[in-house]
Amino acid sequence: MAAHEILAATNAVVTLDVALPGVVWPWLVTVNMWAKSIGTGVIFMLFLLLRMHPESGNKLRLQTAIVAFIFINIFLLFTLGDLHKPFRFWHILVHPSFSSAIAWGTFMASAFLGLLTLLVLVAWRARTKDECNANYDKILLWTAILAIPVTLYTAALMSQCTARELWQMPAESAQMILAALLSGSAAMILLGGSKLTYEAKKTLGVVLGLSALMSFIIYMSEYIFGAMKAEEIAFTLEYIKGDGPYTVMFWLGQWMTYLLPMLLIVLSRSSKSESILKLAAILALVGLFIVKHVWLMIPQLLPMS
């Protein structure tokens, strides 16, 4: 063997036997999930209001469509920004891999954005109120249906990361839907304001409180019992236990997103206070970002080897 071949062999690097450096999905993905939850959530809530409290829902058709349109565009923008080669994004559309959640999510999100655009145009350009409502409702039905897989798509993407035991499709699917209901109801409480009747506010408060309760139960189940499933989950949860680096942020998120809003909703119902209900909505929206960020980060801190 020549001298230069021996030297090259001694400097070889085994690239598949080193810890993955850094975090692959940073805060950009947190913004992605948070914005998508609001964008789909307000559509769910408008669909609910138009059936249970049409007098309130009718006043929020245009505003809701605009808010959903803005937040879905934020979701898409930050998705594009997180790609390592954003200018090659068009390859997903032209050469899709149908076994990938990314490809399906791209098509569904694009279709969802198209329907939101139609909702905005119909609400804006309708010549009469009756014409607006009839056309709007037809489009809203399909928009609400499509919002379900768009909401769930990130859970599918996370579950495809099979090396990260904490992200399991059943739990993440439930959390994505609950996040959309929580953020959607919170956003509608703030968006509706005086346009919402007291009964409509009560309904949105119930949705916010119940989604907070169910999501908190799932997180606590993972926190307490998750270590029984796999050693990797046990090691991952150490980042949010004791003096772990994300312990404070984890519990801050749990209190802001779930515990305090549930308490405030009960107080708002007993006192009929709109201000307390709005405070619960603000805390839930801000806290949801923190919760999503912690759950996104901690599995990635665990070395792959």
Side-chain angles (χ1 to χ4, degrees):
M1 181 181 293
H4 70 277
E5 293 176 326
I6 297 174
L7 183 61
T10 58
N11 292 328
V13 176
V14 183
T15 57
L16 297 180
D17 194 30
V18 294
L20 186 66
V23 171
V24 177
W25 286 347
W27 63 271
L28 292 169
V29 178
T30 307
V31 178
N32 167 315
M33 293 189 292
W34 181 77
K36 177 165 63 69
S37 295
I38 297 174
T40 58
V42 292
I43 292 297
F44 290 143
M45 291 303 103
L46 179 63
F47 190 82
L48 175 68
L49 286 177
L50 287 174
R51 276 142 188 80
M52 294 187 65
H53 309 285
E55 69 282 3
S56 295
N58 284 327
K59 300 175 184 177
L60 295 171
R61 292 175 182 268
L62 178 60
Q63 297 94 318
T64 302
I66 291 174
V67 169
F69 180 85
I70 291 172
F71 277 94
I72 291 300
N73 273 289
I74 293 173
F75 153 63
L76 293 173
L77 177 63
F78 278 84
T79 300
L80 186 64
D82 182 59
L83 296 177
H84 296 288
K85 298 289 185 180
F87 294 108
R88 295 184 182 180
F89 177 76
W90 62 273
H91 284 268
I92 299 177
L93 299 173
V94 179
H95 307 289
S97 172
F98 291 107
S99 62
S100 170
I102 295 178
W104 284 105
T106 300
F107 288 121
M108 291 187 299
S110 300
F112 187 65
L113 183 61
L115 290 174
L116 291 177
T117 304
L118 286 177
L119 286 178
V120 173
L121 292 175
V122 168
W124 185 272
R125 299 298 297 273
R127 288 168 294 183
T128 65
K129 183 177 180 181
D130 291 339
E131 178 187 357
C132 167
N133 292 354
N135 295 329
Y136 191 102
D137 289 347
K138 293 177 183 177
I139 301 171
L140 179 63
L141 173 62
W142 293 106
T143 308
I145 292 173
L146 186 56
I148 297 172
V150 170
T151 302
L152 293 174
Y153 128 79
T154 308
L157 182 61
M158 294 172 74
S159 68
Q160 283 190 324
C161 303
T162 54
R164 303 304 185 186
E165 286 286 343
L166 188 66
W167 298 333
Q168 297 293 327
M169 184 64 180
E172 294 306 321
S173 296
Q175 290 289 30
M176 292 297 168
I177 290 293
L178 291 171
L181 295 176
L182 181 141
S183 60
S185 56
M188 288 298 276
I189 288 170
L190 298 175
L191 179 66
S194 59
K195 295 179 181 179
L196 295 171
T197 64
Y198 174 70
E199 293 302 319
K201 292 174 184 176
K202 282 177 60 177
T203 299
L204 292 173
V206 168
V207 174
L208 175 56
L210 289 179
S211 57
L213 175 62
M214 289 185 285
S215 187
F216 178 73
I217 290 173
I218 294 174
Y219 274 120
M220 289 301 101
S221 298
E222 295 271 16
Y223 185 85
I224 297 170
F225 303 110
M228 298 179 182
K229 182 179 185 298
E231 286 186 353
E232 183 186 315
I233 295 180
F235 286 119
T236 301
L237 293 175
E238 288 301 314
Y239 291 114
I240 55 175
K241 292 183 177 181
D243 58 351
Y246 278 85
T247 299
V248 173
M249 187 178 292
F250 173 77
W251 285 110
L252 177 64
Q254 297 297 312
W255 276 95
M256 287 184 65
T257 316
Y258 307 126
L259 298 175
L260 288 178
M262 284 190 286
L263 175 61
L264 291 172
I265 288 167
V266 172
L267 292 176
S268 71
R269 288 176 68 90
S270 61
S271 63
K272 297 185 179 181
S273 172
E274 182 179 341
S275 299
I276 296 177
L277 184 61
K278 286 183 177 180
L279 178 59
I282 293 171
L283 286 174
L285 286 173
V286 176
L288 182 64
F289 185 92
I290 299 173
V291 167
K292 289 294 183 184
H293 186 67
V294 171
W295 212 248
L296 178 71
M297 289 294 109
I298 57 174
Q300 299 182 77
L301 298 178
L302 198 65
M304 297 293 291
S305 62

